[in-house]
Amino acid sequence: IFENIKHQFQSKALGQNVILNCDTPLPDMDAVVITDEIKLTQVLSNLVGNALKFTKKGHVGFGYLLKNELLELYVEDTGIGIAPEMHEEIFKRFRQVEVNPNRQFGGSGLGLSISKAYVELLGSNLVLRSKPGIGSMFRFTIPYKKAGKTDESNKPPFKEIRSEYNNFRTILVAEDEDLNFKLLVVLLSKIGLTIIRAVNGLEAVEICESGQPVDLVLMDIKMPVMDGYEATRIIKKLRPGLPVIAQTAYSTDEDKAKAFDCGCSDFISKPFRKEILIAKISEHLASCP
């Protein structure tokens, strides 16, 4: 999670001449914990994004410390800081540090409110320490509940996921980002499926409407022209039995619920784990006539 967030914000930090530091002291074998991945990712993304928004020079740092049976996660910056009288106000919906009509910084004022709520659902509190002109630090804790080793004995090797239908099945990948599409092609190259592409939701609808053989749709949610939600609604009206797997990065529970409401059969978060992606595709193809 930390590596993905650093990668996500690194180019923005470089563009602002701000140093982005990430400190993850645990070795990889000890850094796998049991928690809510989606909520944790959303909180850290909100906090790092905010820190970069309000930092024009210096650095933004984020990471964690192991304290007894807790991981203390933090995001700190050398930005504009927050006045003491605003320390509680900024956690309220639609409240922001800037209250004058000529604001320099955009935003809806929902990020910290959502982050605070998610942290509380994780069983902690979002604590702020800040001084105007010096910077801010947000921190919270999660239990250091190490995940045990996954039992691989019952997982079929990739060659066993291949089946008699593979060479006759076609997946439509609706994805506007070239790199993401190429990654999916690499991940799925070993299981013998035919892969076709749509670069936006409208094109995905047109392909499904055209009569081309499509057995499953891997639908990116955020795309130009027509997003994945609307495209899925239309596709499911055209072909109710066609499985659609939604794919998106750093998703919230609301995103997931909305995807299912639109008719998606399943949901997978970026970045993909190859085993999960192939398992989901295999499951839905196996259930199709």
Side-chain angles (χ1 to χ4, degrees):
I1 290 174
F2 279 86
E3 289 174 355
N4 289 337
I5 290 174
K6 184 175 182 181
H7 178 74
Q8 178 187 0
F9 289 103
Q10 185 68 72
S11 60
K12 181 176 182 180
L14 290 173
Q16 298 177 191
N17 291 320
V18 172
I19 298 171
L20 182 62
N21 294 319
C22 179
D23 185 21
T24 54
L26 289 174
D28 287 350
M29 67 177 63
D30 296 326
V32 182
V33 301
I34 299 173
T35 189
D36 190 313
E37 180 180 0
I38 292 176
K39 289 183 176 62
L40 182 59
T41 299
Q42 186 69 48
V43 171
L44 290 171
S45 296
N46 284 347
L47 294 178
V48 173
N50 265 2
L52 284 170
K53 182 192 299 185
F54 294 105
T55 302
K56 296 304 179 185
K57 62 179 180 179
H59 79 274
V60 169
F62 66 109
Y64 60 81
L65 301 170
L66 178 58
K67 294 187 174 182
N68 299 319
E69 296 182 355
L70 293 173
L71 288 176
E72 183 179 81
L73 295 88
Y74 66 88
V75 177
E76 61 179 357
D77 64 66
T78 56
I80 63 173
I82 303 167
E85 63 270 19
M86 293 295 294
H87 283 196
E88 293 186 10
E89 290 293 312
I90 60 168
F91 291 110
K92 297 178 181 178
R93 291 186 178 186
F94 308 111
R95 291 307 302 267
Q96 297 173 315
V97 174
E98 292 183 295
V99 294
N100 63 76
N102 300 313
R103 295 192 299 126
Q104 300 180 52
F105 307 98
S108 65
L110 284 171
L112 285 178
S113 175
I114 293 171
S115 296
K116 181 177 182 293
Y118 279 0
V119 166
E120 289 172 355
L121 287 172
L122 291 170
S124 183
N125 293 300
L126 189 55
V127 178
L128 167 64
R129 187 179 71 203
S130 183
K131 290 185 179 180
I134 295 178
S136 303
M137 173 185 278
F138 292 87
R139 53 191 172 87
F140 62 98
T141 60
I142 60 172
Y144 181 50
K145 186 176 181 181
K146 289 179 64 175
K149 290 186 177 180
T150 303
D151 181 8
E152 302 288 337
S153 60
N154 295 323
K155 286 188 176 181
F158 291 143
K159 65 180 181 181
E160 291 184 18
I161 296 177
R162 296 175 65 99
S163 64
E164 67 278 1
Y165 62 69
N166 284 352
N167 292 329
F168 305 98
R169 294 298 178 109
T170 298
I171 290 183
L172 169 60
V173 176
E175 173 61 69
D176 61 311
E177 294 287 343
D178 290 339
L179 287 177
N180 290 343
F181 176 72
K182 290 176 181 177
L183 174 61
L184 284 166
V185 170
V186 170
L187 292 178
L188 299 175
S189 63
K190 302 296 184 182
I191 59 173
L193 296 163
T194 299
I195 300 173
I196 59 176
R197 183 188 183 186
V199 297
N200 57 60
L202 179 59
E203 188 171 321
V205 170
E206 291 172 346
I207 290 172
C208 291
E209 195 173 21
S210 69
Q212 291 190 52
V214 175
D215 298 291
L216 182 143
V217 181
L218 197 56
M219 180 72 74
D220 187 33
I221 293 300
K222 296 181 180 178
M223 290 185 294
V225 183
M226 179 186 292
D227 65 26
Y229 295 126
E230 183 61 24
T232 299
R233 288 191 191 95
I234 298 173
I235 288 171
K236 295 300 284 188
K237 288 180 180 178
L238 295 169
R239 298 182 56 181
L242 180 63
V244 179
I245 300 177
Q247 50 150 337
T248 187
Y250 309 112
S251 55
T252 66
D253 289 345
E254 290 181 4
D255 294 326
K256 195 171 182 178
K258 188 174 179 181
F260 284 120
D261 287 343
C262 292
C264 290
S265 313
D266 213 327
F267 188 96
I268 188 167
S269 298
K270 301 176 184 177
F272 303 120
R273 284 182 57 190
K274 183 176 181 178
E275 299 91 338
I276 295 176
L277 176 65
I278 293 177
K280 285 181 180 289
I281 289 173
S282 298
E283 176 188 351
H284 289 286
L285 287 179
S287 64
C288 292

